[in-house]
Amino acid sequence: MQDAANLSQYRKQLREALDNEFQREALDKFAVAYRTSRANAFAGIDAPELISEIAAAKDAAVDHLMELYEEFKRHAEAAGTKVHLAATAHEANEIIARIAKENGVKTVVKSKSMTAEETHLNDHLEAQGLDVTETDLGEWIIQLRHEGPTHMVMPAIHLSRYQVADLFTEVTHKQQEVDIQKLVKVARRELRPKYCQADMGISGANFAIAATGSIGIITNEGNARLTTTLPRVHVVIAGIDKLVPALHDALRIIKCLPKNATGQNLTSYVTWITGAVPCATGPDGKKVHHIVFVDNGRLAMARDPLFKQALRCIRCGACANVCPIYRLVGGHKYGHVYIGAIGLVATYFFHGRDKARNLVQNCLNCGACKAVCAAGIDLPTMIKEVHARIQDEEGHPLYSSAAGMVLKNRTLFHTMLKSARLLQKPVSGGGYLRHLPMFLFKDHDFRALPAIADEAFRDRWEKIRPRVAKADIKVALFSGCVQDFVYPEQMEAAVAVIASKPGVAMEYPMGQSCCGLPLMMMGEKKAGQELAAHNMNAIDAAGFDYIVTLCASCASYLKHGYKRLFADDPAMAYKAAQFSQRVMDFSSFVHDVLGMRGEAFSGPSKDVTYHAPCHLCRGLGVTEAPRELLRDAGLNYLPAAEEDVCCGFGGTFSVKFPELSKELLRKKIANLKATGATAMATDCPGCIMQIRGGFEHDGTAFEVRHVAEYLAARLKRG
C-alpha cells in the first residue's frame, strides 16, 4: 500500500522497491511463464469472442444493479439469508461487527476477499476485540507480516520461501525447513484448529446470482469451503458489482477467469451456496447467514459513461501480470489496496483522489493491460482520465499547464524548437546533446539525448516533394514533432519508399503540429482537445485517401484518441471519426495498401532484430506487416525475447519516472543483444530515441533505425 504524500515521496518509494531484487526476479519469472500458460489455456477457444460476451453481459448487469439487488434479496431472504447494502466501507464493517456482536462471536476465520481488504475489515473487527484469522495461505502469510496483498490473486508472490520459513519459525517457535511442501503442512497444522474453534466465517464472493439468491466462490485451496461450512455464522462481503442475472453469466466468467488469472483451465474448487444451510450449532439447527453488498463508490461508477466499464472487472489480476511497471516494483507500490491497472482506477472511486494522485501518473500507456483484460476494459484511457479529473479538481501543476499552453500553439511551439536548435550548438555533437550540466541530467543520464536536426522536415519538404501527374491515391503525411524536428531523415526515407510506387501523391500540410499524446499523458485534456481540433483543421481529411504517419504512438492516438476527446460533441465527433478512418501507420500502408513485396528491394542479407512499439502492436493491432516488410527487403529478421514489452519511453513517463524507464530500457537492450544481431528496426521515433540513446550511452555499436530507413536503403533503383 503506497502512502506517499507527493510525487517526490512516491518516487523515493519506487526506488526502494527497485532495490528488492528477489521481488523483481520473482515477478519477472512469473510474467514470462504467464504468457505461455495463458496462451496454452486459451488454445482452441475463441478468446476475443468470450471476452466480448463477458463485457456485454457485465455491461447489461451494471445498467441494472439495483434491480438485480432487489431480485437477489428477494430470493436469498426466502431461503433464510439476511441481505444488506452498505453505502460505504465503514458501514459495511459496522454491519459485520454488529452481526458478530448479536451472535456472541469471539473468533473469526476468513477466506480470501479483496472487498474485505478494500474496507479494511480485519482492522475494524480487531478493534472490536475479535480474533480474526486469514485462512488463504498467501493472505495468512501477509497478515502475519502486517502488510497488504501485492497481487489480487497471489497476495504473497513477492516473498521467498526463505522469508516464509523465517516467518513460520517465529510464529510456531520452532525452526522450520526451507521446503515449500513442508511449509504448506505447517500452515495446515496451524490453521485447522482455527476452523473448528471459530464462531464466524467470512468469505467473499465471485458471483451473486440474482435469479436464485446464490453466491459462487472459486478458489484453489479448500479453506473457503471450511470457512463457509464449519462456523455457525457465515457472512459474505461482496461488491454490488458481483451481481449477475443468472447462473449462465457466472459460468461464462468461470470459463475465462482461471485461464486469464494464472493460466489454469479451472480452479480446484467451485462452491455454490444458497440460503441458510443446516448447521447443528446454529439457532434452530441452521447457519446464521448474512450477505453484505458494498457500494463504496460503485453506484457512482455505474452512472459514469466512461468509468462504468471498470465494474466489468472479474478480479483476475491479469492487468498486473502483464504490466511492465508492476514487474519492477510490485503491488505495494503499484496500488493502494487494489493492484495493477484496475487498482489505479478503483482507488480513485473507492479510496479517494489523495490515494490515487501519485499512482495514476505511473502509467506507461503501453496498453498491455487492455490487451489482456478478461472483460475488455479500456484501462489506459480510464487511468489517464482519472489523472485529468484529479488535476481539474485540485489544480494543474505549473509545468503541465505551461506545456499545454505551448503545445496547443503551433507557432510558439515550433519557434521554440527552432530556437533550441541554435541554443544547443555548444553542447551538441554527432547527433546527440553532450557536455550538459549535471543538474540538467539529474536521474536521466541512462541514455544519450538526441540533438534537434539542423533542418526540420517541413523545411526540406518542397525540395524533396515528389510531383505526381496523375494520382490514384492521395496521402497526407503526418510527421509528429519528433520526426519533423529530430529525425527528419526517417520522413525522407518514407517519402522515397512511397514515391517508388507510381500514382501516389503526397502532401505535407504545414499547419500540422504535435499529435497531442503528451498532453493526454500529462492530464491536460482541454489543451489536448484544442490541439486535436487544430490538427484536424490543418489536415482536411476529406481531401485525402490516407493520413500516413511513421510514429506508432501518433497513429494510435490520431485514430482512437481524437474520437474519445470529442465523444460528447456531435459535430466534432463526426469530424474526428472521418479523420481517424484515414489514419494508417507507415508499415501497414506500404505492406497492405501499396502491396510492396520482395521484388521492390535488393541488397545483401543482414541480421536485424525488431522492437514492437506498444501503440502499434496493441493500439493498432499491427503485428505482421513490419516484420514481413523486413523479410521482403532481404533482411534476416531475428526475433527478440519479449519484443512487444515496452522499452520504457512512454513520452513524459520517462521524464517523471526515470528510474523505472532506465530499468525497462536495460531489459530491452539485454533482449536485443541476446539475438546476436547488431541492428534493430522499429516503427516509433520515441522508441528509437530511447533505445538508440541507451546503446549510445553504453558505448555499444548497435544500429537502431526506423523500418522506413531500412526499406529506403534497399529500394531497387530505376
Side-chain angles (χ1 to χ4, degrees):
M1 183 185 297
Q2 72 83 29
D3 55 1
N6 52 50
L7 195 61
S8 178
Q9 288 183 18
Y10 182 46
R11 281 188 57 196
K12 182 175 183 293
Q13 292 181 359
L14 293 176
R15 286 192 291 270
E16 292 169 355
L18 281 172
D19 290 337
N20 186 338
E21 291 187 16
F22 172 81
Q23 175 177 265
R24 283 166 49 197
E25 289 177 8
L27 296 178
D28 261 350
K29 287 178 182 176
F30 173 74
V32 172
Y34 168 77
R35 291 162 72 99
T36 302
S37 299
R38 182 182 184 273
N40 292 338
F42 276 108
I45 295 175
D46 188 344
E49 177 63 23
L50 178 59
I51 290 169
S52 178
E53 290 176 4
I54 291 172
K58 290 287 281 184
D59 283 348
V62 166
D63 286 337
H64 301 90
L65 282 179
M66 288 310 299
E67 294 134 273
L68 291 173
Y69 169 76
E70 293 298 338
E71 183 182 359
F72 180 95
K73 182 181 173 81
R74 185 170 67 253
H75 290 295
E77 294 195 337
T81 296
K82 178 64 177 173
V83 180
H84 312 260
L85 176 58
T88 65
H90 179 72
E91 185 179 343
N93 293 341
E94 285 284 287
I95 291 171
I96 295 172
R98 186 170 67 247
I99 294 168
K101 184 176 181 180
E102 290 171 352
N103 289 277
V105 170
K106 300 296 183 185
T107 57
V108 178
V109 288
K110 281 181 73 266
S111 64
K112 192 173 184 308
S113 166
M114 281 307 300
T115 311
E117 295 281 357
E118 172 190 333
T119 68
H120 304 295
L121 177 61
N122 286 10
D123 294 340
H124 188 88
L125 296 181
E126 288 169 351
Q128 304 287 320
L130 297 174
D131 180 10
V132 183
T133 302
E134 294 284 355
T135 62
D136 173 89
L137 177 57
E139 289 284 344
W140 186 53
I141 289 170
I142 63 172
Q143 182 187 31
L144 294 174
R145 286 174 56 91
H146 306 289
E147 62 187 28
T150 194
H151 191 284
M152 287 198 288
V153 177
M154 299 163 286
I157 191 175
H158 60 299
L159 299 174
S160 72
R161 63 183 185 274
Y162 300 98
Q163 290 171 291
V164 175
D166 289 344
L167 178 68
F168 284 6
T169 295
E170 181 183 340
V171 169
T172 62
H173 307 291
K174 180 180 177 182
Q175 186 65 42
Q176 302 298 337
E177 295 181 47
V178 184
D179 178 276
I180 292 175
Q181 293 304 319
K182 290 181 179 179
L183 291 172
V184 170
K185 288 181 180 179
V186 171
R188 286 187 183 135
R189 186 173 65 246
E190 294 294 316
L191 289 173
R192 285 298 165 91
K194 301 286 187 179
Y195 297 111
C196 300
Q197 298 162 2
D199 304 307
M200 175 188 282
I202 298 176
S203 74
N206 294 94
F207 321 100
I209 314 298
T212 59
S214 309
I215 63 129
I217 307 172
I218 60 176
T219 63
N220 275 322
E221 300 174 24
N223 66 302
R225 286 191 176 175
L226 291 170
T227 296
T228 59
T229 302
L230 293 179
R232 57 188 168 84
V233 181
H234 175 208
V235 177
V236 178
I237 180 170
I240 195 170
D241 53 305
K242 295 297 177 68
L243 284 161
V244 294
L247 180 62
H248 172 72
D249 301 291
L251 295 178
R252 184 194 288 116
I253 294 173
I254 290 175
K255 188 176 181 181
C256 184
L257 196 158
K259 295 178 176 64
N260 220 50
T262 55
Q264 296 171 264
N265 282 317
L266 193 65
T267 54
S268 303
Y269 299 89
V270 180
T271 303
W272 302 100
I273 300 172
T274 306
V277 298
C279 178
T281 57
D284 302 322
K286 286 194 173 183
K287 186 182 291 289
V288 176
H289 197 228
H290 291 259
I291 298 176
V292 181
F293 285 106
V294 181
D295 173 6
N296 200 35
R298 289 167 173 80
L299 293 177
M301 291 178 81
R303 294 188 294 270
D304 190 296
L306 173 62
F307 287 101
K308 63 188 292 186
Q309 64 176 295
L311 296 177
R312 296 177 191 167
C313 180
I314 62 173
R315 302 293 189 264
C316 67
C319 56
N321 297 349
V322 299
C323 177
I325 298 169
Y326 173 82
R327 286 172 63 173
L328 292 180
V329 301
H332 289 154
K333 302 308 171 193
Y334 202 57
H336 179 65
V337 171
Y338 288 100
I339 308 304
I342 190 64
L344 272 58
V345 177
T347 297
Y348 175 70
F349 282 90
F350 297 168
H351 296 106
R353 66 175 182 244
D354 60 317
K355 302 295 191 297
R357 184 187 301 113
N358 299 316
L359 290 172
V360 293
Q361 297 181 65
N362 191 8
C363 173
L364 277 161
N365 196 42
C366 72
C369 52
K370 179 182 178 181
V372 80
C373 180
I377 305 171
D378 188 355
L379 289 160
T381 295
M382 289 195 294
I383 291 168
K384 295 309 173 188
E385 178 64 22
V386 169
H387 185 199
R389 288 192 183 187
I390 289 174
Q391 292 196 160
D392 287 345
E393 292 162 0
E394 295 188 336
H396 293 236
L398 181 59
Y399 71 85
S400 180
S401 300
M405 292 296 293
V406 170
L407 286 177
K408 72 180 183 179
N409 185 327
R410 186 194 70 80
T411 302
L412 174 61
F413 178 44
H414 288 179
T415 298
M416 289 177 67
L417 286 172
K418 290 179 178 180
S419 299
R421 181 189 66 205
L422 300 175
L423 293 172
Q424 74 183 0
K425 289 189 180 297
V427 295
S428 63
Y432 293 94
L433 297 177
R434 306 185 189 277
H435 317 299
L436 284 177
M438 285 308 296
F439 76 90
L440 291 176
F441 247 104
K442 187 180 180 182
D443 298 325
H444 290 270
D445 60 347
F446 59 90
R447 64 185 174 203
L449 298 176
I452 296 172
D454 290 336
E455 187 178 25
F457 176 74
R458 63 180 54 244
D459 297 329
R460 305 183 188 190
W461 173 243
E462 284 303 322
K463 291 178 281 187
I464 67 167
R465 176 183 183 177
R467 268 44 179 192
V468 178
K470 184 180 179 184
D472 300 314
I473 300 175
K474 293 182 179 180
V475 173
L477 297 174
F478 185 89
S479 65
C481 33
V482 176
Q483 283 168 327
D484 191 355
F485 288 93
V486 180
Y487 300 131
E489 67 275 8
Q490 295 174 11
M491 290 298 296
E492 287 197 22
V495 171
V497 173
I498 296 171
S500 70
K501 275 285 189 177
V504 182
M506 287 176 276
E507 294 287 343
Y508 184 80
M510 290 294 170
Q512 65 178 278
S513 189
C514 171
C515 68
L517 181 59
L519 293 178
M520 188 273 284
M521 292 289 288
M522 288 187 285
E524 295 295 330
K525 188 175 180 180
K526 187 174 185 301
Q529 287 175 323
E530 293 180 39
L531 182 53
H534 169 89
N535 279 329
M536 290 191 293
N537 287 330
I539 303 175
D540 181 7
F544 298 98
D545 299 303
Y546 298 95
I547 301 170
V548 175
T549 178
L550 278 71
C551 177
S553 298
C554 290
S556 179
Y557 190 62
L558 295 174
K559 196 165 191 67
H560 303 303
Y562 279 22
K563 289 188 292 185
R564 288 193 294 265
L565 284 172
F566 299 107
D568 298 328
D569 185 335
M572 290 300 291
Y574 174 80
K575 189 170 185 176
Q578 184 185 49
F579 186 89
S580 68
Q581 286 171 0
R582 289 163 170 77
V583 173
M584 184 174 283
D585 68 282
F586 170 80
S587 286
S588 294
F589 179 73
V590 173
H591 184 270
D592 300 341
V593 178
L594 300 186
M596 293 184 72
R597 297 296 184 266
E599 63 274 8
F601 306 100
S602 65
S605 182
K606 177 180 181 177
D607 290 343
V608 176
T609 188
Y610 182 73
H611 164 65
C614 302
H615 294 122
L616 188 73
C617 64
R618 287 182 289 274
L620 296 173
V622 176
T623 57
E624 296 308 311
R627 294 173 175 88
E628 289 182 8
L629 284 171
L630 293 174
R631 294 190 188 99
D632 287 339
L635 297 165
N636 182 29
Y637 159 57
L638 300 177
E642 299 196 288
E643 261 181 14
D644 60 352
V645 173
C646 188
C647 66
F649 181 59
T652 55
F653 170 87
S654 64
V655 177
K656 282 188 177 180
F657 300 100
E659 51 279 295
L660 303 184
S661 181
K662 175 182 179 179
E663 183 59 27
L664 291 171
L665 176 59
R666 185 193 66 78
K667 288 184 180 182
K668 177 60 63 175
I669 286 178
N671 286 336
L672 294 171
K673 286 181 177 179
T675 65
T678 56
M680 185 209 83
T682 191
D683 290 82
C684 182
C687 298
I688 289 173
M689 184 185 298
Q690 175 86 338
I691 298 170
R692 184 187 287 175
F695 278 119
E696 175 70 17
H697 175 269
D698 294 345
T700 303
F702 205 101
E703 182 180 83
V704 178
R705 304 179 75 186
H706 197 282
V707 168
E709 294 178 279
Y710 282 111
L711 299 186
R714 302 173 76 83
L715 281 172
K716 283 184 179 176
R717 305 301 174 182

